[in-house]
Amino acid sequence: MTTTSDTYNFDPTAPADSRRSGGITGWASRYVDERTGISYVVREFGRKIFPDHWSFMLGEVALYSFVVILITGTFLTFFFQASMAEVTYDGSYGPLKGLEMSAAMQSTLHISFEIRGGLLIRQVHHWAALLFVASTMLHMLRIFFTGAFRKPRELNWVIGFVLWILAMAEGFTGYSLPDDLLSGNGLRIIAGMVEGIPFIGSWILWLLFGGEFPGTAIVGRLYTLHILLLPAAVLAFIALHLVFVVTHKHTQYAGPGRTNENVIGVPVLPVFAAKAGGFFFVVFGLLMLMGAFFTINPIWVYGPYDPSPVSAGTQPDWYIGFADGALRLMPGWLGGPGGVPMEFVLFNTTYSLNILIPIVVLGLFIVAVMLYPFLEAWVTGDKREHHIADRPRNMPSRTAIGAAGVAFYTVLFFGASSDLIATHFKVSIESMITILQFMLVLGPVLAFFVTKRICLALQKKDRQIVLHGTESGRIVRLPGGEYIEVHEPVDEYERWKLVAFNDYEPLMLRPNAAGRIPVTERARAAISRLFFEDRIEPVTSTELEVARHH
Amino acid sequence: MANDTNLPGHDGPSDSLVPVSTADPGTAVERSDALRNPGLPPHRLRVTDTDPKKAKTAERVIVALFYVSLVGSIFAMAAYFAFPIKPNDLGSVRLNNVFVGIGLSFALLAIGVAAIHWSKVLMDDHEGIDIRHPVKGDPKTQARAVEIFRQADRESGFNRRVLIRNGMIAAFAALPFPAIFLFRDLGPSAGTPAEAFSHTMWKAGTRLTKDPTGDPIRASDVTIGSVFHVIPEGLNDTEDVLEEKGKAAVLLMRLEPGDLHVSPEKRTWNYDGIVAYSKICTHVGCPVALYEQETHHLLCPCHQSQFDITREAAVIFGPAVRPLPQLPITVDSEGYLVARSDFHEPVGPSFWERRGDYNV
Ligand code: FES
């Protein structure tokens, strides 16, 4: 293997023929380097090592789908008109002919029905947006469950978290642009929620929509956010995110030869570049196939926005589902009608708890997601850098907390489709909502305990394998007539994967210098106990020795 | 370079799971008898490394894939012309979509698969190793950074000339406020949102008309069990149709007068069992438009709030709290249904300025 510095000589005093080597490429790289110093960058990053694992590709999918969004989105801006001016439709789609609609809706129909390839690009854009949010979230789950957010990556977790929020904002603003019946209804719901905010709600709505809902300003304003402000923010945060990935170097899973102080994998040039670059084209190609074969958001079926028509069974884009589900699962009257109203008037102002509680609960959930790395760091008190990603089972409490969060999110998500689920399972809408309300509370608790038990059981199994080997399925008869199954020992490489993990013990409370135990330390000890009271320790060499002699 | 070698790179004390640094391990357990990292397993050769024939085949596959991509691009361009979009022909849109899409998909996928395959079977696959260093600057760098800040402070007098510093902070603190003020004109400058939300187009004598045609409705047209989607007369001629409709949309239905439980102050609000209720949900404002005739329940499709028409649209299920506002109606001299007045309270979702003394 060679590095660039081998073929490219810096020394200006070197003989001319050696400096002029390399033909046209050599000339071009010299030209650029002499004006930019780029060879320094190539030396530093050209052979940078990236570890390889399928789970590391989730973040890549997010990045690539965003690039696809930028490419297809730019095409769409050439045809889309972000205006709510009223026009009469006279395009190709018969059923809507003669209908009054906004220029936004009309131009979206024009893209879909008159521009060659327009529908394709529009659908690829939408599919890519859905994939962007989905892969962002899966990537977050991967980071969470493998503890890849630990020092020194806590801030990068927060940056990634911001990207998740931005991705949803991008999705929602884009979804609203065509000004069709569905997206108009979505905006109506947002407007209604905003209205319920204390003190400033009605004013925020007034300023956002330029007057009353729906007004004539919102599509233009969302468009500015959607194609200027939000993409700029996404790009800036992605850049920051990647700078940190480079600074920290990628995490790797425990394995033979892999330590906390090295990275083992493939170099950027050529293998990683080929793999990652190829993967971008695969993602783009698959999205293109989806756009070619699967209709998404057929606005012509819904028609232009009108505040009055019925729209039963309609769904928001999936990533907004959890918010809509929260609105649905919040009862208006605690204990049923006649119970405690969740909206009341006090001193001539209205408090809409039926709106506020879901907003606050969602807010707390999201903030908890953002702050988890800091909580865990505080509980363990571990100030070391961690570059070996955990197997989820080896940190049972964290995995259980993650599972509880996933359960909570999932119940809210299904809440948004409660009517469809109810019809599917032939139960009443009312009982479906009640079931989901119970599950929202019980589900996370259940998920926590079940997951923790499963993790501990898996850890025990790992210990068994390390100490006594794997069951070979071979039964032998001992001279004494007894039957046993032969256990095959694992080799040292496999064994290392099973024993290479951190474990923590619960915090022991000790009085500080003043002879007191502060409340914060008590709280920390309590959480630490919840985390680490049940724990399985990695097999030590002593234990292995003992097991061998049995 | 170090990463080009095939050394396990875990010599010294660094085969532990976390670096043996001075950082506090917290409640982590550190064992002296922990098992040791066995180091990188021996490198395994691929078939393409050992069998030149296999390597040759792989090479051919990769070349072929790149040409598949090229063909895909040409196919996409050909499809662009071969499957034009004909005016008023939706089938042509579909064909154009599918064939251009197939061409582009192949163009993209083939490049991707070729590159990945190339990297997997032909490119050198020896493990590379990079050595990590603590993220923080080394002590010398840290000390120098601190020194630079000190020096900057000395040279500027930032902490010594307190008046200058505080003046600067005050100036910066005030600066964002003009920017916030500039946003005021996002909304109309006349009126307040609360006023606007509190009134609709309905006035005494406004006829109830069908949505969307605007035909007036006679009381005699409204048979028992029927439902009408209603807008105020003249709505379609107003400037801001959608804003007005978003507040004024009404559902009209007729029940057996005996089925209606009417409170004393609303005795005159229905006409012979015909009642009109706001169609805008009191939860977050979707159109409440699913009417169950047998039970006289209205269902909001957005979050499943249900309202009982026999009990003045009281909430019987779901996240809404308040009943749908009722529009007082009567008939005019020609027998057409008209409003007696506007709604007596704001319609739609609640807002902070909403008072508690409507309807009294
Ligand atoms: S808007 Fe009607 S239930 Fe939410």
Side-chain angles (χ1 to χ4, degrees), chain B residues 25-239:
Chain B
T27 59
V29 186
E30 287 176 331
R31 294 181 178 76
S32 53
D33 62 345
L35 282 163
R36 315 223 81 199
N37 194 328
L40 264 189
H43 181 74
R44 276 211 210 128
L45 292 177
R46 300 163 296 188
V47 274
T48 41
D49 294 326
T50 50
D51 182 349
K53 259 203 221 128
K54 290 264 160 59
K56 195 74 205 158
T57 320
E59 192 181 333
R60 285 204 195 101
V61 169
I62 294 162
V63 174
L65 278 168
F66 280 122
Y67 283 101
V68 166
S69 166
L70 195 134
V71 171
S73 291
I74 296 171
F75 182 88
M77 288 184 283
Y80 190 84
F81 295 106
F83 300 96
I85 289 181
K86 303 190 198 96
N88 300 320
D89 177 4
L90 296 184
S92 71
V93 177
R94 184 163 308 134
L95 287 181
N96 180 275
N97 191 57
V98 167
F99 285 104
V100 174
I102 289 178
L104 282 172
S105 307
F106 272 91
L108 293 161
L109 281 172
I111 291 185
V113 175
I116 293 174
H117 195 52
W118 184 3
S119 74
K120 286 212 154 165
V121 297
L122 290 185
M123 291 185 188
D124 186 293
D125 77 334
H126 280 86
E127 292 79 5
I129 299 174
D130 266 356
I131 303 301
R132 292 181 193 273
H133 309 284
V135 171
K136 65 177 180 201
D138 59 53
K140 253 203 209 137
T141 313
Q142 284 181 336
R144 179 69 189 129
V146 170
E147 176 49 31
I148 286 175
F149 278 125
R150 291 234 174 85
Q151 191 175 357
D153 182 28
R154 269 198 313 278
E155 290 173 4
S156 63
F158 187 78
N159 276 316
R160 199 159 22 90
R161 301 192 173 98
V162 177
L163 288 181
I164 293 186
R165 189 190 66 193
N166 292 354
M168 188 177 85
I169 292 173
F172 280 135
L175 204 51
F177 287 95
I180 294 172
F181 273 71
L182 286 178
F183 282 101
R184 170 58 187 88
D185 277 349
L186 280 174
S189 47
T192 65
E195 274 165 36
F197 298 164
S198 302
H199 305 287
T200 75
M201 259 185 81
W202 293 105
K203 288 197 298 283
T206 310
R207 276 187 177 158
L208 279 69
T209 65
K210 287 181 193 158
D211 179 17
T213 56
D215 301 329
I217 304 166
R218 273 181 214 278
S220 53
D221 297 340
V222 189
T223 51
I224 298 243
S226 63
V227 181
F228 285 82
H229 297 262
V230 168
I231 49 177
E233 182 171 35
L235 174 91
N236 291 334
D237 306 324
T238 51
E239 281 267 290

Side-chain angles (χ1 to χ4, degrees), chain A residues 215 250 260-261 308 383 542, chain B residues 14 19 24 33 132 211 243 279:
Chain A
H250 209 289
N260 207 35
E261 278 145 15
S308 154
K383 303 274 185 292
T542 327
Chain B
S14 53
D24 178 5
D33 62 345
R132 292 181 193 273
D211 179 17
E243 291 74 21
K279 198 176 171 181

Side-chain angles (χ1 to χ4, degrees), chain A residues 120 202 212 215 250 257 260-261 263 265 306 308 324 328 332 343 350 354 380 383-385 503 505 541-542, chain B residues 14 17-19 24 27 29 33 37 128 130 132 135 211 243 245 247 279 303-304 318-319 322 350 353-354:
Chain A
L120 180 68
S202 56
E212 286 184 82
H250 209 289
N260 207 35
E261 278 145 15
V263 203
D306 180 325
S308 154
D324 201 50
R328 287 194 192 204
E343 178 184 304
T350 299
N354 55 340
T380 62
K383 303 274 185 292
R384 301 167 304 174
E385 288 187 12
D503 74 322
E505 40 190 19
S541 51
T542 327
Chain B
S14 53
L17 208 53
V18 281
D24 178 5
T27 59
V29 186
D33 62 345
N37 194 328
D130 266 356
R132 292 181 193 273
V135 171
D211 179 17
E243 291 74 21
K245 195 172 184 179
K247 291 189 295 182
K279 198 176 171 181
H303 312 103
Q304 272 81 52
R322 282 181 296 108
S350 304
E353 297 91 336
R354 195 179 194 284

